[in-house]
Amino acid sequence: MFRRSRSAAVYAAFAIFAVSLTAPFNAAHAQKSGNGGGGSLTYPVTKKGDVVDDYFGTKVPDPYRWLENNDSPEVAQWVQDENKVTFEYLDRIPYRKALFDRLSKLYNYPKIGAPTRRGEWFVFSKNDGLQNQSIYYIQKGLDGTPVELLDPNKFSTDGTSRLGAFSWSPKGKYVLYGVSKGGSDWNDLYVLDVATKKPLEDHIEWVKNGGGSWMGEDGFFYSRYPEPEKGRELYTKNENQKVYYHKLGTPQSADTLVYEDAANPQRFQSVFVTEDERFAILDVSERGKGKNGNAVYFKDLSKGETIFTPIVSDITNDSFGVIDDVDGKFLINTDHGAPNGKVVLYDPATKSWSDILPEQPEPLENAGTAGGKLFATYLKDVTSRAYVYSLDGKLENEVKLPGLGTAGGFGGRNDDKFVFYSYSSFNSPPTIYKYDIGSRQSSVFRKVDIPGFNANDYEVKQVFYPSKDGTKVPMFITYKKGLKLDGNNPTILYGYGGFNITTNPNFSALRVALLEQGVVYASANMRGGGEYGEKWHMAGTKLQKQNVFDDFIAAAEYLIREKYTSSQKLAIDGASNGGLLVGAVANQRPELFRAVHQHAGVMDMLRYQYFTIGWNWAADYGRSDANEAEFKALYAYSPVHNIKAGTKYPAILVTTADHDDRVVPAHSFKYAAALQAAQAGDNPVIIRIDTNSGHGASSTTKQLEQTADIDSFLFYNLGVTPKW
């Protein structure tokens, strides 16, 4: 098992439209912009309502509240009108099609996942290059002939239904898999018979933010929500999650209720079974009430126990993740009393705790067991370090990595003789390594060649710059060798800064299309993320959220001061919580940037908690309806509420999708409408609303189309004329 102490943010939100990206434009009411780099644009005039909310005595207008009504024909028409404007603009970018072709060529290489094992059989995923979804194969031994096991490309005719959950039963007889339609976070669970390669009749509905955990070969635990109101599946609030046990060959209606908490409808709860199948572990969290931690319970299945016994019963800001059991005791990854994380051993017989891996100066990123060993990865200035320990915490050796980058994997079963891990960096495509536990040696298992990419053509540099309050913040800068620091380089600054998520050094073949044209790519590691442990995370949350924006603004100022670029050549990019980031800083410092791409951002910070699983984000953001101080902090930076009429904003492209039920499209709709009404400059403000796609692109085709449009917009507004 390989479990992280604090789960990455469990995002969620909404979207429901069935409109075409090329629907006709209704120009009955419209407003003009300046030339935006390509002739004047005529925007639809978005009507304003008279809704006003009262927050602790402060009256807050919400004129675009009607755009939240996503099943409304009026909103559907607005989407069509906006898409018409957007695609008329994108269509006149002369190299857009050539850019799509270049991206397709760069992305057309085999993408192969690390194998997982059951006995002598291995399962792995592979995408030949431009397939919409990766296919899963099974083979006997590492040298066996791969045979197709599951092809998600067959889930839908257009390739936009994708694989969600994937869980192989302990003895390898079955695979539990989830199907996500059109990029939604909802998963329908099915069971595949590995021998026949055919699905059973079992079908589980209304699963979100999880899959299932097998208990032997007969059934599995899973968590689900009540069936939502028909027609509102993609945006209704998700509450009252319950844990069930499903026995194979029975209908979902016959499933056994394992755990519920009706008194706390906004809690997450899930159950997983330890590898030896002795214990069921119950995890309960309450992020909707602003708590980052969780409670954890167990029951001994070998004794037939039916009641969960607490290991930690109080939910605070401390996290606890059971890794595995060792002789009836639990290895647990926690940040209790250790902001950088540690691994402890809990003895349920004596209720005693002992440190196995004490807290280190560097944050513990992941820890897990395999082959009778404890594997752990730490972060040192955002780059991975990997170590192997005995189960009682004695260091055996460091796994030497190829360079300063990101390593992940190391998971396996307790009888494994070897494990797999991956390594990548900004100029290093992902390589899978096989680590032999007995010899303590690593060897290359699979590597890829990106067509037209030569790593030696590019440099990666890490810098540390001061933020507004003097805090040193790391940033990676990647660029083509021979760069001149003359302040004239087109530059894209990316950031996230939230939910304890680390923005690791990573490789993207699609990013090569930017780098090869002389674009500088900078990735800032602001507070709010997990780069330096829980203190770094908390310094960018709730009343401290402005620190994140200050860190990002300081990154832009550093790039300008050091003459990498200028404000007329600088674009910023962010998605989800990163979309909130770029929206907030574009409001606070519009003159600092030439272009902005905001994807699926949380833009209405006063109402995010009312849609799907938005309430879950309160642990990072706070809530406008529960705490006056948190309301004031949110209101001060909420992107929708801080757009000022008469301001000359940068060129802004907003992207979202109709099946995003994580961050509902209404956030982006309201943001785009407010910006278009306020824009006093010549730069375009457009919104691209995709169909049959979700918080992330639902297929390779969708990803390539979206990336081509984003990059075309950025090239066009940064004055880059690509040469291929």
Side-chain angles (χ1 to χ4, degrees):
M1 291 178 192
F2 210 77
R3 296 175 63 82
R4 185 169 179 168
S5 61
R6 187 183 302 279
S7 62
V10 185
Y11 263 92
F14 128 90
I16 184 165
F17 289 109
V19 295
S20 167
L21 289 175
T22 55
F25 174 49
N26 181 356
H29 298 88
Q31 60 192 27
K32 289 186 179 293
S33 76
N35 66 24
S40 64
L41 293 179
T42 302
Y43 302 125
V45 172
T46 307
K47 74 172 186 178
K48 295 183 178 181
D50 56 4
V51 175
V52 177
D53 294 313
D54 189 321
Y55 295 91
F56 304 98
T58 299
K59 308 293 185 183
V60 180
D62 191 1
Y64 301 115
R65 178 75 58 85
W66 66 275
L67 286 171
E68 295 177 1
N69 299 324
N70 298 284
D71 52 357
S72 159
E74 190 176 23
V75 176
Q77 184 63 54
W78 182 88
V79 170
Q80 293 178 8
D81 295 348
E82 290 287 349
N83 267 336
K84 186 64 165 64
V85 171
T86 296
F87 283 92
E88 284 183 345
Y89 178 88
L90 294 173
D91 283 344
R92 60 180 183 247
I93 298 177
Y95 42 77
R96 179 167 161 238
K97 174 61 169 61
L99 178 54
F100 176 86
D101 293 340
R102 179 59 181 152
L103 291 166
S104 299
K105 184 176 181 180
L106 287 167
Y107 206 64
N108 191 11
Y109 67 94
K111 304 162 191 70
I112 307 176
T116 58
R117 183 188 65 86
R118 295 292 184 271
E120 57 186 350
W121 292 92
F122 290 84
V123 164
F124 66 95
S125 64
K126 180 182 179 183
N127 190 309
D128 288 338
L130 297 179
Q131 292 170 296
N132 275 314
Q133 311 294 337
S134 294
I135 298 175
Y136 280 71
Y137 296 88
I138 188 168
Q139 67 185 51
K140 189 174 183 179
L142 290 179
D143 298 322
T145 301
V147 176
E148 183 181 306
L149 178 66
L150 180 66
D151 183 1
N153 293 287
K154 298 175 182 177
F155 291 168
S156 62
T157 56
D158 64 355
T160 61
S161 288
R162 60 189 182 188
L163 185 72
F166 187 91
S167 177
W168 203 357
S169 65
K171 294 182 180 179
K173 188 175 181 181
Y174 302 107
V175 165
L176 173 67
Y177 66 96
V179 177
S180 159
K181 297 177 181 177
S184 167
D185 281 345
W186 287 117
N187 267 228
D188 279 24
L189 300 184
Y190 300 91
V191 179
L192 185 75
D193 185 301
V194 172
T196 66
K197 315 294 189 296
K198 294 180 179 179
L200 306 181
E201 293 185 0
D202 301 72
H203 179 201
I204 305 297
E205 296 182 288
W206 308 119
V207 174
K208 182 180 281 194
N209 304 308
S213 180
W214 286 94
M215 189 168 73
E217 304 292 306
D218 299 324
F220 52 86
F221 295 101
Y222 70 95
S223 302
R224 62 155 289 186
Y225 288 96
E227 182 176 354
E229 180 183 341
K230 191 170 181 59
R232 299 177 59 87
E233 296 90 345
L234 294 177
Y235 56 93
T236 193
K237 186 186 290 188
N238 303 137
E239 295 181 315
N240 297 300
Q241 188 183 52
K242 301 176 184 179
V243 181
Y244 290 87
Y245 172 76
H246 175 76
K247 182 176 176 58
L248 293 187
T250 63
Q252 184 173 8
S253 59
D255 290 352
T256 303
L257 178 64
V258 174
Y259 184 83
E260 68 172 327
D261 188 348
N264 295 284
Q266 291 186 347
R267 285 186 172 181
F268 289 117
Q269 39 255 333
S270 62
V271 168
F272 81 93
V273 180
T274 56
E275 184 182 325
D276 60 9
E277 301 180 40
R278 177 178 173 182
F279 295 101
I281 308 297
L282 169 67
D283 185 281
V284 182
S285 63
E286 196 168 38
R287 293 178 54 82
K289 291 187 178 179
K291 299 175 182 178
N292 276 290
N294 64 296
V296 63
Y297 304 77
F298 75 94
K299 61 181 176 182
D300 193 331
L301 299 173
S302 69
K303 296 179 179 179
E305 292 180 354
T306 58
I307 304 299
F308 284 101
T309 300
I311 297 174
V312 176
S313 57
D314 293 333
I315 301 177
T316 64
N317 281 324
D318 295 331
S319 66
F320 301 85
V322 174
I323 299 168
D324 205 350
D325 66 298
V326 180
D327 298 326
K329 302 174 184 179
F330 298 111
L331 284 170
I332 297 175
N333 193 341
T334 182
D335 56 15
H336 175 67
N340 283 343
K342 63 181 179 179
V343 175
V344 299
L345 188 69
Y346 174 76
D347 186 344
T350 61
K351 298 184 179 180
S352 60
W353 300 77
S354 57
D355 285 358
I356 298 298
L357 300 183
E359 183 183 23
Q360 300 296 319
E362 295 80 24
L364 175 63
E365 187 176 29
N366 285 295
T369 56
K373 305 296 181 182
L374 178 59
F375 290 82
T377 56
Y378 289 86
L379 287 175
K380 183 175 178 58
D381 291 332
V382 204
T383 60
S384 297
R385 304 293 188 276
Y387 303 91
V388 185
Y389 301 85
S390 63
L391 293 180
D392 59 1
K394 292 185 176 63
L395 176 63
E396 296 192 348
N397 64 290
E398 179 179 359
V399 180
K400 294 293 185 181
L401 301 176
L404 299 181
T406 301
F410 299 103
R413 301 180 68 78
N414 286 325
D415 61 347
D416 278 339
K417 302 300 182 185
F418 50 82
V419 297
F420 298 96
Y421 66 93
S422 64
Y423 171 84
S424 68
S425 189
F426 287 108
N427 63 344
S428 299
T431 298
I432 298 174
Y433 290 85
K434 177 186 171 187
Y435 175 79
D436 186 276
I437 296 173
S439 67
R440 304 182 181 182
Q441 297 297 313
S442 293
S443 58
V444 173
F445 181 70
R446 283 181 178 138
K447 61 184 299 185
V448 298
D449 292 316
I450 310 299
F453 171 75
N454 183 352
N456 293 325
D457 292 341
Y458 303 97
E459 292 188 15
V460 179
K461 183 178 183 181
Q462 187 180 35
V463 300
F464 296 83
Y465 63 89
S467 189
K468 182 178 181 179
D469 62 0
T471 299
K472 292 293 184 181
V473 181
M475 176 167 58
F476 290 96
I477 307 174
T478 306
Y479 49 87
K480 200 170 184 179
K481 287 183 178 178
L483 180 76
K484 294 181 180 179
L485 296 179
D486 59 4
N488 198 42
N489 301 297
T491 299
I492 297 174
L493 171 61
Y494 172 83
Y496 186 80
F499 295 93
N500 200 37
I501 293 174
T502 300
T503 306
N504 302 91
N506 63 83
F507 181 82
S508 167
L510 298 181
R511 192 184 300 139
V512 175
L514 302 172
L515 296 173
E516 65 186 8
Q517 299 302 319
V519 173
V520 175
Y521 182 83
S523 178
N525 297 105
M526 297 86 63
R527 283 170 283 187
E531 286 83 351
Y532 292 103
E534 185 57 11
K535 288 183 179 179
W536 189 260
H537 168 221
M538 295 301 291
T541 65
K542 295 183 178 177
L543 305 186
Q544 315 298 326
K545 188 67 176 177
Q546 183 60 40
N547 285 336
V548 185
F549 311 138
D550 290 343
D551 290 354
F552 199 62
I553 289 169
E557 292 174 333
Y558 174 91
L559 292 167
I560 294 170
R561 182 171 63 252
E562 297 298 318
K563 297 190 181 302
Y564 284 94
T565 190
S566 67
S567 61
Q568 289 303 305
K569 289 287 186 177
L570 177 59
I572 52 176
D573 183 22
S576 197
N577 176 72
L580 157 64
L581 167 72
V582 299
V585 301
N587 284 341
Q588 294 178 13
R589 294 291 303 276
E591 83 291 348
L592 195 56
F593 316 107
R594 179 66 180 87
V596 178
H597 169 234
Q598 184 276 109
H599 177 72
V602 189
M603 312 307 279
D604 185 341
M605 298 307 299
L606 304 187
R607 289 181 56 77
Y608 72 83
Q609 64 270 25
Y610 300 128
F611 305 99
T612 61
I613 298 189
W615 47 262
N616 167 56
W617 312 332
D620 251 51
Y621 295 149
R623 289 181 64 139
S624 63
D625 55 359
N627 182 294
E628 184 174 4
E630 290 175 355
F631 156 69
K632 290 180 178 178
L634 291 163
Y635 192 36
Y637 70 78
S638 176
V640 165
H641 298 95
N642 286 277
I643 294 169
K644 296 179 175 60
T647 300
K648 293 183 178 181
Y649 286 99
I652 297 179
L653 170 64
V654 179
T655 55
T656 185
D658 67 343
H659 277 62
D660 189 346
D661 50 355
R662 194 175 305 181
V663 179
V664 297
H667 282 282
S668 291
F669 295 172
K670 294 166 78 172
Y671 174 66
L675 271 174
Q676 288 177 349
Q679 175 67 295
D682 292 338
N683 294 319
V685 175
I686 55 178
I687 179 169
R688 181 190 190 276
I689 305 141
D690 208 346
T691 56
N692 285 326
S693 204
H695 197 57
S698 59
S699 69
T700 295
T701 299
K702 291 286 186 182
Q703 183 177 16
L704 291 170
E705 290 173 347
Q706 178 178 275
T707 304
D709 288 348
I710 294 166
D711 289 358
S712 293
F713 179 87
L714 295 176
F715 277 157
Y716 202 40
N717 284 281
L718 293 178
V720 177
T721 302
K723 298 174 183 177
W724 290 294

